[in-house]
Structure formats: structure tokens, C-alpha cells
Amino acid sequence: MRTARKSWKTYALGVAAIAALLSSTACDSGGTDNGKGPTASGTPGATGSPTPSGAPSTAGTPQPGGGGTTSPSPSQSPDGGNTNIAACNDNDLSIDTSGWRQDSGQHLLITATNFTDKACTLYHYPYVRFGTDIGAPVAATESKPRAIATIGPKEKAYAGVFVFKAGQQTYTVTSFSLGYQDRALNSNKDVAPLDIRLSDEVDSLTVGPTPRVTYWNTDLRAVEDFLFRSGNS
């Protein structure tokens, strides 16, 4: 009987110890489930992870789903132009001219192709003068694009010209001159323009008293849509 009682007491103490251990474990588990457990030392949260030195930041980049963007980075100007890319000039571009079928020569398309190995930017609109005109360049239309026309090697940008309207008094030319602007609007007006001979396709132009030129655009469809929009021709 003594042996039996001693065994029962030992068993009872063992059960009590196990119960205490389980109770302690349950308390610790509950704290972790509530989000109060310790974070591994040196492990940043997902929203606060730093950008590695030299890596581009994602700030200002549109996110999927239509989210907004932050302010542009220092290398970007408020109008979207990259300050590290130089303005295009005569030494960067080849110029072609063309027209449209069934248009009666009322519009001219100017295509600028970057033939260098570096990008350049065509700011604002081209300075266009027809024939031997040395006066003010053709005025611009209100066709400012959403983005500045920066073109890489072999890429193209376009500008369109309203040459004349039906019923206007006109004159005929076989060439025109072209100049380029810097970032500042109406810059480089005094720089000598480049003489451009019209392509064989165009041959000659009938020019009215109030021609207008569009802004440079890398999207040909956008230029065409503006040129042939109702009321612009």
C-alpha cells in the first residue's frame, strides 16, 4: 500500500508539471498570434525597405491599377523632359517631306529621323520659313503634345504644316528652311536655319498667307488627327 501511494503521488506531480508547461506554452503562442511577437533583428518591413545605393527609386513611377505618381525625380523637368538629353540640331537629324493623297497639297508632313547613336529632344515646334522668306517663322498651332519629343537612334518625330486654305491668294515654293528650339520656348530664332529641298514626292508647295505648323510629336497619328480635324483645314 505504501508503494502504491508513493507511485500515485509521483504520477500526480508529473501531471501538474505537464499542465503548467502547457499553460505557459499557450500564453506564448497567443502573444505571437496577436502580432506582438518579436521581429527578427535587422529585417526591415516591406513598406520601409531601403533602396540599395545606386539603384533607381520607384517613386514617381505609375503603379498598376491607375494609381497616381509622386513628384518627378531631379533629372526630370516638370514638363516631362529629361534634363540630361540635349536638344536636337542639324547634325543629329535627316529631314524628309511628304504629303497626303486627295489633299490637294494643303498640308505638309515634316519627318525628322535621328541618325546618330544618342538620343536628342525636339522641343516645342520647328521654325519654318518658305522659299527665300527671311521674316518671322511660321506661327504655331495649339497642338502641344502630352510629352516632349525625345527620339533615340533611328527614331522619328513629326510636325505638320497647314500650307494654305481654299480660296486664299497663294505663291509657289520649291524649298523651305528649318530651325530647332532649345528647352526655352522661342529660343534660337536668330540661329541660321537649315535649307531643306522638298522631296520628289512633294516637288513644290502652294503657300497661303497664314500657314501654321504643329508642335513636334513622336506619334504620327496624333499629328494627322490634328491636321485633318474639322475646322483646321
Side-chain angles (χ1 to χ4, degrees), residues 116-212:
T116 71
D117 58 358
K118 65 183 186 302
C120 66
T121 295
L122 284 160
Y123 287 105
H124 312 297
Y125 54 89
Y127 290 139
V128 174
R129 295 177 176 88
F130 290 107
T132 59
D133 185 8
I134 59 174
V138 171
T141 63
E142 294 183 3
S143 60
K144 191 172 182 179
R146 294 181 178 179
I148 289 175
T150 295
I151 52 176
K154 306 299 186 291
E155 292 182 343
K156 302 177 185 296
Y158 309 91
V161 184
F162 301 101
V163 185
F164 75 95
K165 293 183 179 182
Q168 289 183 328
Q169 185 175 1
T170 62
Y171 62 99
T172 301
V173 299
T174 57
S175 66
F176 67 100
S177 63
L178 192 67
Y180 308 100
Q181 299 194 51
D182 286 329
R183 179 180 298 277
L185 183 62
N186 294 322
S187 57
N188 295 341
K189 275 190 176 181
D190 296 331
V191 175
L194 179 68
D195 290 330
I196 306 292
R197 187 163 186 84
L198 296 170
S199 65
D200 293 338
E201 176 188 343
V202 177
D203 188 30
S204 64
L205 284 175
T206 300
V207 182
T210 56
R212 294 289 184 272

Side-chain angles (χ1 to χ4, degrees), residues 16-184:
I18 292 172
L21 178 61
L22 291 175
S23 175
S24 174
T25 304
C27 290
D28 290 343
S29 175
T32 302
D33 289 345
N34 289 333
K36 298 178 181 179
T39 302
S41 176
T43 304
T47 59
S49 54
T51 302
S53 177
S57 171
T58 56
T61 303
Q63 301 299 317
T69 62
T70 60
S71 299
S73 63
S75 63
Q76 296 285 330
S77 69
D79 57 9
N82 190 319
T83 58
N84 297 323
I85 297 179
C88 297
N89 59 51
D90 297 344
N91 297 321
D92 301 317
L93 306 170
S94 64
I95 300 296
D96 294 309
T97 57
S98 56
W100 288 266
R101 294 179 180 177
Q102 302 177 340
D103 179 50
S104 301
Q106 291 179 280
H107 303 87
L108 176 71
L109 178 66
I110 301 171
T111 301
T113 304
N114 181 351
F115 61 76
T116 71
D117 58 358
K118 65 183 186 302
C120 66
T121 295
L122 284 160
Y123 287 105
H124 312 297
Y125 54 89
Y127 290 139
V128 174
R129 295 177 176 88
F130 290 107
T132 59
D133 185 8
I134 59 174
V138 171
T141 63
E142 294 183 3
S143 60
K144 191 172 182 179
R146 294 181 178 179
I148 289 175
T150 295
I151 52 176
K154 306 299 186 291
E155 292 182 343
K156 302 177 185 296
Y158 309 91
V161 184
F162 301 101
V163 185
F164 75 95
K165 293 183 179 182
Q168 289 183 328
Q169 185 175 1
T170 62
Y171 62 99
T172 301
V173 299
T174 57
S175 66
F176 67 100
S177 63
L178 192 67
Y180 308 100
Q181 299 194 51
D182 286 329
R183 179 180 298 277

